[in-house]
């Protein structure tokens, strides 16, 4: 009997299951990626992020990096509008040009014979040629007159603490800060501006304290014009602009009544805010200080009663503390010196009598 042996197939291992996690859609994530033994990379510090995930899609949370915060930009005037020095000449040049024009007009009149008969002799001039007023003489008159007007018309006097902003056909041509006699092109439009240190006291403005109680505040602003080009051509009313800046700053800075909080700190914050708002228009603010702080009329009576009650409670607490200290000191001295022997009942009675006596004495003296 023969047996036929067939090759036995080598045993194969159990089929490796495909370890997949399937979400509600068709996205598949291999499990071995979730349980890796590799060391994690060094953590990267991230800014606070916003995590968003769409529901029902199996989508992994996405991290959004917040963009850089946008800085608050202040209003800017034309960047090319910056104060620069204007070109002027010494006043002697204008006087000389005007004198030359007057001399030219006189010479033309002598040439044309328009002067009185005795005038040439009085001026030491020879007799006039008396050629009459022709086109040449009229042209000489026009040239001499234009030179005289141009010379004398451009004379200006600069004073300390004042400046002149020059413009031609609406275009800025420069600023003159010189003092003394000088010559400026008479075709230029001149705008005077005061560059000295100035004080402006506001009327009562609405404000609030840290608790939101309505206040009325008057502030004193110390300021000056620093950039004349921006101050004159960028703002029409300087004090009106400062008033609006101060009102906007009072909304952001809580104030306190005198004696209840640091008024100086509020003044420093107001100065910084108003100075930052006024700098783009050429104004320099040195100080913004509250000079009068009071409650608004609608809450003045209630807050007055509240302050009186608080002061009265504080006074009563001070008086009570003083009386208790005095009673304690008296009882302690009597006991330690052996003047009296007191049990608990007698000690309580003595403390009571001394407290009533001290309180009555302080009430009579009004302290």
């Amino acid at each position: 009997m023969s047996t036929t042996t067939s090759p036995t197939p080598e045993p194969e291992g159990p089929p490796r299951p495909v370890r997949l996690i399937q979400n509600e859609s068709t996205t598949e994530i291999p499990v071995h990626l979730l349980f890796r033994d590799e060391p994690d990379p060094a953590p990267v510090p991230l800014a606070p992020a916003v995590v968003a995930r769409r529901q029902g899609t199996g989508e992994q949370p996405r991290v959004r990096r917040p963009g850089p915060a946008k800085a608050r930009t202040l209003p800017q005037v034309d960047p090319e509008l910056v104060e620069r020095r204007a070109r002027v000449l010494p006043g002697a040049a204008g006087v000389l040009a005007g004198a030359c024009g007057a001399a030219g007009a006189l010479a033309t009149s002598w040439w044309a014979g328009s002067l009185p008969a005795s005038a040439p002799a009085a001026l030491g001039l020879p007799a006039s040629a008396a050629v009459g007023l022709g086109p040449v003489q009229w042209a000489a008159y026009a040239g001499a007159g234009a030179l005289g007007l141009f010379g004398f018309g451009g004379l200006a006097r600069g004073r300390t603490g004042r400046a002149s902003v020059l413009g031609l056909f609406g275009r800025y041509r420069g600023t003159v800060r010189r003092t003394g006699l000088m010559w400026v092109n008479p075709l230029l439009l001149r705008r005077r501006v005061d560059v000295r240190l100035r004080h402006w006291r506001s009327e009562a403005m609405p404000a609030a304290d840290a608790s939101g109680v309505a206040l009325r505040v008057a502030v004193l602003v110390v300021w000056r014009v620093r950039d004349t080009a921006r101050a004159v051509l960028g703002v029409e009313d300087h004090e009106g602009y400062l008033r609006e800046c101060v009102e906007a700053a009072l909304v952001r800075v809580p104030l306190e009544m005198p004696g209840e909080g640091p008024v100086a700190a509020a003044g420093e914050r107001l100065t910084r805010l108003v100075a930052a708002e006024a700098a783009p228009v050429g104004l320099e603010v040195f100080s913004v200080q509250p000079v009068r702080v009071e409650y608004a009329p609608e809450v003045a009576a209630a807050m007055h009663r509240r302050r009186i009650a608080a002061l009265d409670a504080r006074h009563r607490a001070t008086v009570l503390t003083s009386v208790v200290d005095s009673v304690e000191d008296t009882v302690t001295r009597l006991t330690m010196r052996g003047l009296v022997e007191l049990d608990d009942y007698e000690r309580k009675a003595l403390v009571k009598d001394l407290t009533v006596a001290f309180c009555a004495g302080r009430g009579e003296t009004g302290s």
Side-chain angles (χ1 to χ4, degrees):
M1 182 175 181
S2 62
T3 59
T4 304
T5 60
S6 59
T8 304
E10 295 181 359
E12 298 181 356
R16 183 176 180 180
V18 180
R19 293 176 292 178
L20 298 175
I21 298 177
Q22 298 183 355
N23 52 20
E24 296 178 7
S25 62
T26 59
T27 304
E28 298 181 353
I29 304 176
V31 175
H32 68 279
L33 295 181
L34 301 178
F35 301 95
R36 290 183 300 178
D37 295 330
E38 299 176 1
D40 295 334
V44 179
L46 297 176
V50 179
V51 179
R53 181 175 182 176
R54 292 184 293 177
Q55 298 293 335
T57 62
E59 186 175 340
Q60 294 297 318
R62 295 175 297 175
V63 179
R64 300 178 186 173
R65 294 178 179 272
K70 294 183 179 179
R72 180 174 175 266
T73 57
L74 296 174
Q76 296 290 336
V77 190
D78 186 359
E80 298 182 357
L81 189 60
V82 180
E83 179 181 334
R84 60 179 181 271
R85 184 180 300 178
R87 296 178 181 178
V88 296
L89 297 177
V95 174
L96 180 60
C100 291
L106 182 63
T108 303
S109 299
W110 169 82
W111 181 26
S114 301
L115 295 176
S118 60
L123 296 175
L125 298 175
S128 174
V131 297
L133 292 176
V136 178
Q137 286 73 24
W138 283 113
Y141 268 127
L147 181 60
L149 292 176
F150 208 72
F152 288 127
L155 292 177
R157 184 185 63 173
R159 293 185 293 175
T160 303
R162 301 296 180 96
S164 296
V165 178
L166 307 182
L168 180 62
F169 303 116
R171 185 176 181 182
Y172 174 64
R173 288 298 184 179
T175 300
V176 179
R177 288 180 179 261
R178 294 179 55 178
T179 58
L181 187 64
M182 55 188 170
W183 184 86
V184 183
N185 187 349
L187 299 179
L188 298 177
L189 177 64
R190 309 172 194 176
R191 297 185 182 181
R192 299 280 186 177
V193 56
D194 190 350
V195 295
R196 295 174 295 182
L197 193 66
R198 286 187 272 180
H199 296 72
W200 173 69
R201 183 186 178 108
S202 71
E203 67 279 2
M205 296 182 175
D209 61 6
S211 303
V213 179
L215 302 176
R216 302 289 290 179
V217 183
V219 300
L220 180 66
V221 182
V222 182
W223 64 285
R224 72 174 180 181
V225 173
R226 183 172 185 178
D227 191 313
T228 57
R230 292 189 174 186
V232 175
L233 303 178
V235 179
E236 183 178 0
D237 183 8
H238 297 154
E239 292 188 359
Y241 185 83
L242 288 175
R243 182 184 300 107
E244 300 298 332
C245 292
V246 170
E247 288 184 357
L250 288 174
V251 176
R252 292 177 281 176
V253 178
L255 299 178
E256 297 293 341
M257 293 291 294
E260 295 185 358
V263 180
E268 293 178 0
R269 292 189 59 189
L270 286 174
T271 302
R272 289 196 300 269
L273 291 175
V274 177
E277 296 284 349
V281 294
L283 303 181
E284 185 176 9
V285 177
F286 296 94
S287 174
V288 180
Q289 296 296 332
V291 293
R292 189 178 75 249
V293 183
E294 58 188 9
Y295 289 110
E298 59 270 16
V299 299
M303 297 306 299
H304 182 66
R305 291 193 298 268
R306 179 180 176 182
R307 292 191 66 183
I308 292 179
L311 291 175
D312 184 65
R314 191 181 308 169
H315 176 70
R316 290 176 181 273
T318 303
V319 171
L320 182 59
T321 302
S322 177
V323 168
V324 171
D325 292 341
S326 300
V327 171
E328 182 183 7
D329 183 64
T330 302
V331 174
T332 302
R333 289 186 178 185
L334 291 175
T335 304
M336 293 182 63
R337 295 183 180 182
L339 298 179
V340 292
E341 295 291 338
L342 303 175
D343 56 14
D344 292 341
Y345 178 78
E346 293 174 343
R347 181 184 297 272
K348 293 180 181 179
L350 179 60
V351 168
K352 178 180 178 182
D353 295 339
L354 289 176
T355 302
V356 173
F358 285 152
C359 289
R362 291 184 178 274
E364 292 178 358
T365 58
S367 59

